[in-house]
Amino acid sequence: MRPALLNPAFTPINRLKGCGPKLAALIEKLTGGRLLDLWWHRPSGLVDRRYRPTIAEAQPGRICTLEISVEKHFPPRTPRLPYRITVSDATGSLTLVFFNGREDYLLRALPPGETRVISGQIELFDGRAQMTHPDRIGTPAEIAAMAAVEPVYPLTAGLSGRVMSKLVDEAVSRAPVLPEWLDPAYQKRQGWGDWQGALHRLHKPEEAEDLEPFTPWRSRLAYDELLANQLALLLVRRRLKRLTGRPLVGDGRLRDKLDKALPWPLTNAQRQAIAEIAGDMASERRMLRLLQGDVGSGKTMVALYSMLVAVEAGAQAALMAPTEILARQHAETLAPYAEKLGVKLALLTGRDKGKARAALLEQLASGGIDIVIGTHALFQGDVAFHNLGLAVIDEQHRFGVGQRLGLTNKGEGVDMLVMTATPIPRTLSLTAYGDMDVSKLTEKPPGRKPVDTRTVAAERLPEVMEAVARKIETGERVYWVCPLVEESEVSDLAAAAERHAALREKLEARLGAGSIGLVHGQMPAADKDAAMEDFVAGRSKLLVATTVIEVGVDVPEATLIVIEHAERFGLAQLHQLRGRVGRGGKPGSCLLLYYGKLGETSRARLKIIRESDDGFRIAEEDLRLRGAGEVLGTRQSGLPDFRLADLAAHADLLATARDDAKLILERDPTLKTPRGEALRHLLYLFERDAAIQYLQSG
């Protein structure tokens, strides 16, 4: 049960004064629909109205607050002209300018002969001072009651800053006093107040520095969020570790045979990872290990060795991939080895129907299949295993926790190995996986050469198209990646659909009908798979795509990738995309097309991607240069979306939160002490309540 003290946090925003259904819908789209969503909606700037000069002293370009006498109104002769009002004080005069100004409103707001206070930016026009659309107008008493410094919030179309400020103000005023969950000594050392005081201060910046991530109030709230994250992860992890596993010890016969069948020896990093996994599988505890490997580091082979441990021990293994095309690719890669070893391997996807599917399921349930590779079809209700011992999950960030557990629930004490080709900086890894055991593949198998990466200005687009055509005429294949699917009014990014049309017009006659394919995330899954299969099979030679091609897809003939608007992509993403080429022995090339003049950060980022082939270094640099919210795109990667913590700025707080969470659970495993009770409030406040149930059940 959620503590009653927290009920205000989950009050719908339409209970706030003046927040009707239309306004509530706009805010919900921007922040979420509860008061706590407004609490976490941080100001992005401020308006300082403390500068109160006379008209003669007012500096152009600064926001100033002036007390003036209203002289005369000059309504425009035609609607196209602005409405002007002359105002003055003892030192001079000023013109107020309103475009599309309504006379009735302006006469009420600024009646001639009256004293008013206005606030806005002064500018010079033909040598005369004017103020266009003052953003505050009122009587001296009204302005005196107004805050001298106002926070500025991120907004959405149809929502004004003044309305947003008012609603956030009211929401924050309803924040309750909660029991203190911080360690008193640590809190004192950091000089932090209570969480409610920190929340109030977050929304009352007085100087530009108050918006920085290192202020005491922001640091306190960031720590609260990170502590909730780490505590929840440890609770989930503790429960998984308590779930009894079963020792799976192989005799090595299949792995020895595989060693002899491989075209080249395993790297040291692969051997190390296999040893760590086999050690976990042999223990009484259930394995939960993350295998991180850069593009082309040989994760699939490590997965095969791990699955063979299970088969040697008399159990079955399953490998789950996020897309059908990836599942098929894994099956095609591993099937020849399985055949040589006498291991029965099968593929199960959503495409399997009727008798064929029924026969496959029967074999799986009777133990006739040793290794099954598939999509999320593997954890559907009618899929039963004879004796599932190991579940391997590929590109695990594409699956929800529920889907992962759905597969491990198909057997007794199933070990889990999760794999990702997205190198994740240590800080991000901690927030997503806590202290999960990690194996890293840091070497490339022999024969893998770095992809030749170059930056090219968009003005050279015709040359790039010509280079693409020449590549294809030599029998090679090319990817062309764009960030968006269709042109939108708000964005000038190259759209995949538009680029596809332009490339067809320019090159199809030369390359042959149907030689230019298109794949993007908004296509139906079947169409997407068909377009990818055409490219894999060589029916299309040039594939225009959005980032859906990013992970795992293996086309050995693809040797060139063109990435348009490279300056807008994350480094980790560029590195992933670049890994799609040069996988078949021939060297790969990557052209990063950029538009306009590059800023300093963009230039630094593209320089790193040109110079480095180390995905882990690239990911760390991306985090440093762009901050965590951008790295990997949090929503796409399944990494938590922090609203108060900035992982690049608060990495030290994350380390402390991890140690604190460990200590808390060692001393008070059921969170029953007074601090433990306060920490339950913290978990609910940051919506990590799923972890609370593990306190009871764990």
Side-chain angles (χ1 to χ4, degrees), residues 244-264:
T244 48
R246 52 175 171 150
L248 288 175
V249 184
D251 56 13
R253 62 196 157 82
L254 296 173
R255 285 169 285 166
D256 290 346
K257 268 194 196 173
L258 181 57
D259 276 343
K260 296 186 181 83
L262 287 179
W264 51 68

Side-chain angles (χ1 to χ4, degrees), residues 42 202 207-219 650:
R42 293 181 286 110
L202 180 77
E207 308 291 346
E209 295 75 53
D210 293 348
L211 301 165
E212 294 292 328
F214 305 108
T215 60
W217 48 91
R218 171 80 185 279
S219 297
H650 298 134

Side-chain angles (χ1 to χ4, degrees), residues 13-33 156-160 163-164 167:
I13 47 175
N14 60 15
R15 303 269 176 86
L16 295 173
K17 197 174 158 206
C19 189
K22 198 172 169 189
L23 193 53
L26 284 174
I27 293 172
E28 189 167 347
K29 197 172 102 183
L30 179 67
T31 69
T156 186
L159 186 60
S160 78
V163 166
M164 192 68 181
L167 292 173

Side-chain angles (χ1 to χ4, degrees), residues 52-274:
R52 298 196 165 211
T54 60
I55 288 176
E57 294 167 338
Q59 295 170 11
R62 269 187 86 175
I63 287 177
C64 57
T65 304
L66 306 169
E67 188 166 315
I68 47 91
S69 297
V70 182
E71 301 287 344
K72 194 171 180 193
H73 283 238
F74 297 96
R77 294 188 305 279
T78 72
R80 283 208 312 277
L81 294 170
Y83 193 115
R84 296 178 189 277
I85 303 172
T86 308
V87 299
S88 65
D89 68 4
T91 68
S93 65
L94 174 73
T95 304
L96 305 183
V97 179
F98 298 88
F99 292 92
N100 303 316
R102 287 200 340 264
E103 189 171 7
D104 56 342
Y105 161 74
L106 291 171
L107 284 167
R108 275 199 314 277
L110 292 155
E114 297 275 335
T115 298
R116 287 290 181 268
V117 177
I118 56 170
S119 190
Q121 203 163 311
I122 297 267
E123 55 198 21
L124 293 176
F125 185 72
D126 281 348
R128 287 175 56 81
Q130 68 175 35
M131 187 185 283
T132 304
H133 288 280
D135 54 10
R136 287 286 189 272
I137 300 171
T139 63
E142 286 167 343
I143 297 291
M146 186 182 80
V149 180
E150 292 175 19
V152 173
Y153 291 97
L155 299 171
T156 186
L159 186 60
S160 78
R162 201 177 306 185
V163 166
M164 192 68 181
S165 284
K166 218 166 125 188
L167 292 173
V168 172
D169 243 10
E170 196 192 330
V172 170
S173 74
R174 296 196 193 185
V177 173
L178 295 174
E180 184 54 76
W181 46 73
L182 292 187
D183 171 65
Y186 180 63
Q187 184 180 7
K188 190 177 175 188
R189 205 162 59 243
Q190 296 295 109
W192 292 343
D194 64 354
W195 96 271
Q196 189 204 40
L199 182 68
H200 279 269
R201 192 67 185 80
L202 180 77
H203 291 282
K204 290 275 178 277
E206 287 169 12
E207 308 291 346
E209 295 75 53
D210 293 348
L211 301 165
E212 294 292 328
F214 305 108
T215 60
W217 48 91
R218 171 80 185 279
S219 297
R220 151 89 218 219
L221 294 168
Y223 186 78
D224 291 341
E225 188 172 26
L226 292 168
L227 182 58
N229 163 264
Q230 290 299 299
L231 200 51
L233 276 170
L234 284 183
L235 285 167
V236 173
R237 181 90 199 283
R238 188 176 70 177
R239 178 168 181 264
L240 283 170
K241 282 205 158 174
R242 281 193 181 170
L243 294 172
T244 48
R246 52 175 171 150
L248 288 175
V249 184
D251 56 13
R253 62 196 157 82
L254 296 173
R255 285 169 285 166
D256 290 346
K257 268 194 196 173
L258 181 57
D259 276 343
K260 296 186 181 83
L262 287 179
W264 51 68
L266 294 172
T267 64
N268 290 332
Q270 282 175 310
R271 290 206 176 280
Q272 169 83 20
I274 292 163

Side-chain angles (χ1 to χ4, degrees), residues 258 300-301 303-305 307-308 311 316-319 326-348 360 363-364 367-374 378:
L258 181 57
T300 312
M301 212 33 78
L304 178 57
Y305 273 84
M307 292 191 287
L308 290 177
V311 177
Q316 293 167 299
L319 192 165
L326 257 179
R328 283 184 187 286
Q329 191 172 286
H330 281 314
E332 281 162 18
T333 305
L334 300 182
Y337 296 113
E339 203 173 318
K340 278 181 191 162
L341 303 174
V343 168
K344 185 79 170 79
L345 180 142
L347 173 70
L348 176 66
L360 199 152
Q363 275 192 294
L364 200 56
I369 291 170
D370 299 309
I371 294 175
V372 64
I373 295 172
L378 288 176

